[in-house]
Amino acid sequence: ILDRHGLIVADNNFMADITVPRDSVGGDVEYATLGRLITLFELDPDATRERLRRQKERRTGRLVVLPNASMDQIMVVRERGRLLPDVRVESRWRRGYPDGARPARTLAHILGYVGEVGQADVDYGRIDGYRPGDQAGKQGVEATFEDILRGRNGWKIVEVDAAGGPVGRDTVWSYELEP
C-alpha cells in the first residue's frame, strides 16, 4: 500500500514454513524423513522433536519443522523431494511496515489485516465467493475494500524485476505518510 507520494505505507512479505505430517513424532517408529531434515538443516535433534511434540498437542494440521525458511532452505527441500516424502513448503504472507515509518505503524488499525477464510465463514455465509484457505480482508481498509483488492481466482503470468517484485501498477492510497 502506497501513499499518494509513492511512499510505502505497508507491504506484504513472503514467508515459508517447512512442514511434516502430524504422525512424524510421537509414534513407535521414528519418521525417517524427520531425521533427514534434522541432519540437512543441522537442527538440534532433541529440541526439534520436543518442539514438534508440543505443536502436536496444541494444534491440528501439519507440524512446522522450520519456520520462516530461507530461499536456500526451500531449495534444499525442492531439490531433494524424493528423499523427503510428505515434506511441504507452505507459504504465507506477513504484513510489514518500512523501517523508520513510524506513522505507517500507527495506521495499522486503519489499514486492517487479511486472514484465512475458515469453513465456518463459508458455511454461515459471512464471506461470499470464497473457499476455506483463501485470504480475505478481516478489518479496516482491507475489509472495506475487499471487493476491489481481492482479485480473481486463477493463474496469472506476471513480469518481475531482478529482485522478484512485480513490474506494474501499485494500489495508491491518498493518505500522506509525510507532509
Side-chain angles (χ1 to χ4, degrees):
I1 299 174
L2 306 175
D3 75 1
R4 69 182 182 159
H5 298 291
L7 296 173
I8 297 173
V9 176
D11 199 4
N12 292 317
N13 301 309
F14 173 80
M15 310 281 282
D17 299 329
I18 296 174
T19 68
V20 295
R22 290 181 56 71
D23 60 1
S24 302
V25 287
D28 296 332
V29 180
E30 172 67 23
Y31 183 62
T33 302
L34 178 59
R36 286 188 200 107
L37 287 172
I38 288 170
T39 302
L40 278 171
F41 297 123
E42 300 177 357
L43 303 173
D44 179 289
D46 294 331
T48 300
R49 287 184 182 95
E50 179 58 31
R51 186 171 44 80
L52 294 174
R53 271 193 278 281
R54 285 194 311 267
Q55 281 184 43
K56 189 174 180 178
E57 291 171 4
R58 289 193 321 260
R59 56 186 269 198
T60 61
R62 297 179 61 83
L63 305 176
V64 178
V65 175
L66 200 57
N68 305 328
S70 70
M71 280 300 177
D72 289 341
Q73 293 166 326
I74 292 168
M75 292 311 300
V76 166
V77 171
R78 298 277 189 234
E79 290 170 354
R80 293 176 171 86
R82 288 186 179 166
L83 297 173
L84 302 171
D86 297 325
V87 174
R88 290 189 197 155
V89 175
E90 297 188 4
S91 61
R92 58 192 166 90
W93 295 93
R94 176 176 235 162
R95 175 59 52 83
Y97 302 96
D99 291 338
R102 185 173 176 86
R105 287 192 185 96
T106 63
L107 296 174
H109 66 286
I110 296 170
L111 297 174
Y113 65 95
V114 295
E116 188 170 318
V117 173
Q119 186 63 48
D121 294 323
V122 174
D123 290 345
Y124 296 111
R126 285 180 245 174
I127 299 180
D128 292 327
Y130 287 87
R131 297 178 302 214
D134 287 346
Q135 297 288 313
K138 297 289 189 174
Q139 286 189 345
V141 170
E142 294 281 6
T144 302
F145 296 103
E146 177 63 25
D147 291 342
I148 297 167
L149 298 172
R150 176 181 180 197
R152 295 182 310 218
N153 285 333
W155 291 93
K156 181 178 180 182
I157 297 174
V158 178
E159 181 181 358
V160 296
D161 60 22
V167 176
R169 278 184 55 196
D170 287 315
T171 302
V172 178
W173 189 35
S174 64
Y175 178 81
E176 291 184 26
L177 189 58
E178 294 180 8

